[in-house]
Amino acid sequence: QAQLQQWGAGLLRPSETLSLSCDVSGGSLSGYYWGWIRQPPGKGLEWIGEINEIGNTNYNPSSESRVTISVDTSKNQFSLKLASVTAADTAVYYCARRTMPFDLWGRGTLVTVSS
Amino acid sequence: DIQMTQSPSSLSASVGDRVTISCQASQDISDSLNWYQQKEGSAPKLLIFLAENLESGVPSRFSGSGSGTNFILTISSLQPEDFATYFCQQYANLPLTFGEGTKIEIK
């Protein structure tokens, strides 16, 4: 059964770049979109963007200018970079697999932006 | 963007109660609607996809209905493990958007 294992830095200073990666084990990248969703403390879920195995991306316009999602098919991994972070980017970040619904989720990474 | 409005934002209920949660889309999304359950400190878990289809392994006390702009998640008999927050999510249009959540608390 496929699983998602995510990792990345949990504490950033304002203006730094958030960098998270997600490893897909027990399954293939093919046939899915692989996305990132975040959840500020005590708040709802916000879709950041997604990528498929050939590198086609979709981004949320709310942060599109700062976001890069990439895929490494040789490692079965995909990654998120969010530039110029501020305190408003403090959230739990989830990686997830999508067909129509998000049917497989990583455990989440709390990223805190603080000076 | 398609706005997803859930109601209520929270509710108190007892074990055995029938519970319904509403989700309204700001425009017609046909049946492109999913429901998730999230427990404290955990990732969301898919319950219902395509408005009314039960995800494998999800108890049959959960059901979804609706189409167009109005959707409902029903829990027929609330169990102790159902106390959690529930989110709807549309995938008719990008950007994908979620409702703000409905928290079910123990009465």
Side-chain angles (χ1 to χ4, degrees):
Chain A
Q1 231 173 5
Q3 294 185 30
L4 301 181
Q5 181 78 30
Q6 59 181 103
W7 69 94
L11 180 61
L12 296 173
R13 305 291 188 196
S15 80
E16 292 183 332
T17 295
L18 179 157
S19 182
L20 298 174
S21 294
C22 188
D23 180 83
V24 181
S25 61
S28 171
L29 290 174
S30 297
Y32 300 97
Y33 269 94
W34 302 91
W36 294 93
I37 298 111
R38 69 180 180 180
Q39 186 172 35
K43 296 189 177 180
L45 299 160
E46 180 187 26
W47 176 73
I48 299 169
E50 62 188 10
I51 192 167
N52 67 7
E53 75 274 18
I54 60 172
N56 293 327
T57 54
N58 298 306
Y59 294 131
N60 193 323
S62 65
S63 52
E64 182 171 11
S65 62
R66 299 190 292 133
V67 172
T68 303
I69 297 176
S70 58
V71 65
D72 186 335
T73 55
S74 68
K75 295 182 179 179
N76 240 33
Q77 294 175 359
F78 61 105
S79 299
L80 168 70
K81 291 190 185 300
L82 178 66
S84 305
V85 297
T86 70
D89 295 310
T90 293
V92 175
Y93 286 74
Y94 295 100
C95 60
R97 182 180 76 181
R98 187 173 79 88
T99 48
M100 290 177 287
F102 294 102
D103 65 351
L104 182 66
W105 294 69
R107 295 171 65 99
T109 301
L110 174 61
V111 177
T112 302
V113 181
S114 174
S115 55
Chain B
D1 298 6
I2 297 177
Q3 306 302 314
M4 306 301 293
T5 303
Q6 282 185 239
S7 61
S9 57
S10 66
L11 64 91
S12 295
S14 301
V15 172
D17 284 353
R18 180 182 179 88
V19 170
T20 60
I21 298 169
S22 295
C23 178
Q24 184 170 44
S26 60
Q27 64 188 72
D28 189 340
I29 60 170
S30 185
D31 58 358
S32 302
L33 191 283
N34 305 313
W35 289 98
Y36 302 86
Q37 176 195 66
Q38 186 179 33
K39 296 183 179 179
E40 196 69 35
S42 296
K45 171 190 171 184
L46 177 65
L47 298 177
I48 303 281
F49 62 96
L50 264 173
E52 61 181 26
N53 293 272
L54 198 65
E55 173 71 346
S56 176
V58 173
S60 59
R61 62 180 180 273
F62 291 93
S63 64
S65 63
S67 67
T69 60
N70 292 294
F71 302 87
I72 294 175
L73 174 70
T74 300
I75 309 173
S76 61
S77 178
L78 201 65
Q79 297 302 300
E81 60 269 29
D82 301 337
F83 291 94
T85 301
Y86 294 82
F87 295 93
C88 60
Q89 176 246 323
Q90 67 80 23
Y91 59 96
N93 285 355
L94 297 179
L96 307 176
T97 49
F98 293 83
E100 288 299 305
T102 296
K103 185 173 184 177
I104 300 179
E105 298 174 309
I106 301 173
K107 183 183 283 185

